[in-house]
C-alpha cells in the first residue's frame, strides 16, 4: 500500500509538472522543437531492446535471496547484473552512434527543422542521457526487489521538480533548445546517481561481495531471458514507434502535437493502473 500510494502521488505531481513545463516550452519555442524531442526519445527507446528482457530475468532472482537474507547470493547477482549492463551500455552507444548519418531519413520535411537546431548535437545529448541510465539502473533493481520502490519514486519526484524548474528558467532566459536538453541530462543523471549511491550505502555488505554467478546460474538467467524477449520486443514496438512513423510520413509538427496528448493519456493510464 505504501508503494502504491507514494507512486500514485508522485505520478500526479510529475503529470502536473510536465504539463506546466510543456506549456512554458510551447509559449517560447515552436511545436517543431517538441516534435524533435518526441522523435529522438522514441528512437532511443528502441535501443532499450538491447537488454532483450535480461533485466527482468535478473531482478526476478533477487527476491528469494533477499527474503532469506542471503547477502552473498545477492552480491553475486549484482556483480553479474553490473557486467551485463556494461555490455548493454557499449551496445547502446555503438548502435546509437551508427544511426547518426540517417537522422534526416526519419524526418519527412527537412524544412520543418528549426534553423537554430543542430540535429546531431541534440541527438548526441539524448543518446548520452539514454546510455547513462545503464550505469545506475542495476542498483535501482535491488531497491525494487526489496520493496523500496517508493523511495525511488520520491527521489525521482524531487529530481523532476528541480529539473523542470531549471529547464523552465533556462528556457525563459536563453530561449535555447540545446541548453534545455543539456539541463535535462544533468538533472536526470544526477537523480539516477543519487538513487544509486543511496542503494550502495543501504546495502553496503552486498557491494563488498566480489564473487559472481556460476555457469549454471548464468544459463538459467539466459533461458528466462528468451521468455522475456518476446514481451520486450512487443512492448517496445507497440509503445516506441508512433512518433517515428508520424515523423517519417506526416512531419515534425504532427509529432509535436501527438506527443503532447499522448503524454497526458499515458500519465492518466498510469494513474488508473
Amino acid at each position: 500500500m505504501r508503494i502504491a500510494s507514494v507512486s500514485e502521488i508522485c505520478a500526479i505531481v510529475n503529470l502536473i509538472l510536465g504539463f506546466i513545463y510543456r506549456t512554458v516550452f510551447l509559449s517560447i519555442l515552436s511545436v517543431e522543437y517538441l516534435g524533435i524531442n518526441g522523435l529522438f526519445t522514441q528512437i532511443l527507446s528502441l535501443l532499450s531492446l538491447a537488454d532483450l528482457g535480461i533485466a527482468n530475468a535478473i531482478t526476478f532472482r533477487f527476491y528469494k535471496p533477499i527474503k532469506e537474507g542471503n547477502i552473498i547470493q545477492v552480491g553475486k547477482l549484482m556483480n553479474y547484473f553490473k557486467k551485463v549492463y556494461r555490455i548493454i551500455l557499449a551496445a547502446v552507444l555503438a548502435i546509437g552512434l551508427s544511426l547518426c548519418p540517417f537522422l534526416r531519413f526519419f524526418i519527412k520535411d527537412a524544412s520543418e527543422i528549426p534553423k537554430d537546431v543542430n540535429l546531431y548535437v541534440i541527438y548526441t545529448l539524448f543518446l548520452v542521457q539514454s546510455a547513462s541510465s545503464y550505469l545506475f539502473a542495476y542498483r535501482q533493481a535491488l531497491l525494487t526487489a526489496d520493496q523500496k520502490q517508493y523511495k525511488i519514486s520520491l527521489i525521482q519526484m524531487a529530481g523532476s521538480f528541480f529539473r523542470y524548474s531549471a529547464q523552465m528558467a533556462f528556457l525563459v532566459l536563453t530561449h535555447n533548445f540545446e541548453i534545455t536538453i543539456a539541463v535535462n541530462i544533468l538533472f536526470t543523471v544526477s537523480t539516477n546517481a543519487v538513487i544509486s549511491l543511496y542503494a550502495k550505502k543501504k546495502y553496503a555488505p552486498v557491494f563488498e561481495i566480489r564473487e559472481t554467478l556460476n555457469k549454471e546460474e548464468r544459463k538459467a538467467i539466459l533461458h528466462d531471458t528468451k521468455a522475456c524477449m518476446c514481451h520486450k520486443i512487443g512492448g517496445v514496438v507497440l509503445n516506441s514507434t508512433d512518433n517515428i512513423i508520424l515523423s517519417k510520413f506526416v512531419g515534425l509538427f504532427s509529432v509535436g502535437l501527438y506527443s503532447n496528448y499522448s503524454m497526458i493519456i499515458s500519465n492518466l493510464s498510469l494513474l488508473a493502473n
Side-chain angles (χ1 to χ4, degrees):
M1 289 300 295
R2 184 189 295 122
I3 293 171
S5 57
V6 170
S7 297
E8 193 84 3
I9 292 170
C10 290
I12 293 171
V13 172
N14 283 326
L15 175 60
I16 295 171
L17 289 172
F19 186 82
I20 294 172
Y21 168 69
R22 290 209 172 202
T23 301
V24 173
F25 185 100
L26 288 173
S27 69
I28 296 174
L29 301 176
S30 67
V31 73
E32 283 81 8
Y33 289 91
L34 201 57
I36 293 172
N37 188 91
L39 172 63
F40 287 168
T41 297
Q42 288 208 341
I43 289 176
L44 293 170
S45 291
L46 287 176
L47 297 184
S48 67
L49 279 172
D51 78 13
L52 296 176
I54 196 171
N56 291 334
I58 297 175
T59 302
F60 166 75
R61 279 176 163 70
F62 279 119
Y63 289 96
K64 183 179 180 181
I66 287 175
K67 173 72 174 176
E68 296 173 347
N70 189 341
I71 294 175
I72 293 177
Q73 184 63 16
V74 175
K76 288 180 179 180
L77 283 164
M78 188 56 61
N79 290 332
Y80 182 65
F81 209 168
K82 179 181 180 180
K83 181 179 179 181
V84 167
Y85 260 37
R86 283 182 173 177
I87 294 172
I88 294 172
L89 169 61
V92 167
L93 283 173
I95 298 171
L97 290 173
S98 69
L99 291 176
C100 280
F102 309 101
L103 293 181
R104 290 182 180 271
F105 169 79
F106 297 106
I107 300 173
K108 180 184 179 182
D109 187 356
S111 66
E112 286 190 299
I113 302 172
K115 300 268 191 261
D116 62 339
V117 168
N118 185 318
L119 279 183
Y120 304 101
V121 171
I122 297 297
Y123 175 76
T124 301
L125 290 173
F126 272 93
L127 179 60
V128 169
Q129 178 180 326
S130 178
S132 67
S133 65
Y134 292 99
L135 292 173
F136 309 108
Y138 69 97
R139 289 181 182 172
Q140 295 184 23
L142 186 54
L143 285 164
T144 300
D146 196 27
Q147 304 299 306
K148 299 295 189 295
Q149 176 65 39
Y150 68 94
K151 294 188 177 182
I152 295 178
S153 297
L154 288 171
I155 295 173
Q156 288 177 334
M157 182 181 69
S160 294
F161 174 78
F162 290 112
R163 173 168 58 86
Y164 282 128
S165 298
Q167 282 186 286
M168 286 188 283
F170 276 97
L171 264 178
V172 171
L173 292 172
T174 68
H175 291 206
N176 189 294
F177 183 50
E178 293 178 3
I179 292 177
T180 305
I181 299 300
V183 170
N184 177 47
I185 293 173
L186 176 63
F187 278 90
T188 300
V189 172
S190 298
T191 300
N192 287 331
V194 168
I195 296 171
S196 180
L197 290 172
Y198 171 76
K200 186 175 182 180
K201 183 178 180 180
K202 181 174 177 58
Y203 305 101
V206 169
F207 295 97
E208 293 174 0
I209 305 298
R210 294 292 177 262
E211 302 171 58
T212 189
L213 300 177
N214 59 43
K215 185 176 180 180
E216 291 302 316
E217 290 172 317
R218 295 196 302 271
K219 283 178 65 177
I221 289 174
L222 292 176
H223 179 270
D224 289 347
T225 300
K226 294 176 184 177
C228 296
M229 185 169 60
C230 292
H231 295 284
K232 179 73 174 182
I233 293 172
V236 170
V237 171
L238 179 65
N239 300 311
S240 302
T241 54
D242 296 354
N243 289 346
I244 298 172
I245 294 170
L246 278 174
S247 177
K248 175 61 180 175
F249 296 103
V250 184
L252 286 175
F253 183 85
S254 297
V255 175
L257 290 178
Y258 176 80
S259 62
N260 249 352
Y261 293 109
S262 65
M263 181 203 74
I264 297 172
I265 293 170
S266 62
N267 277 280
L268 290 175
S269 298
L270 183 64
L271 292 177
N273 294 328

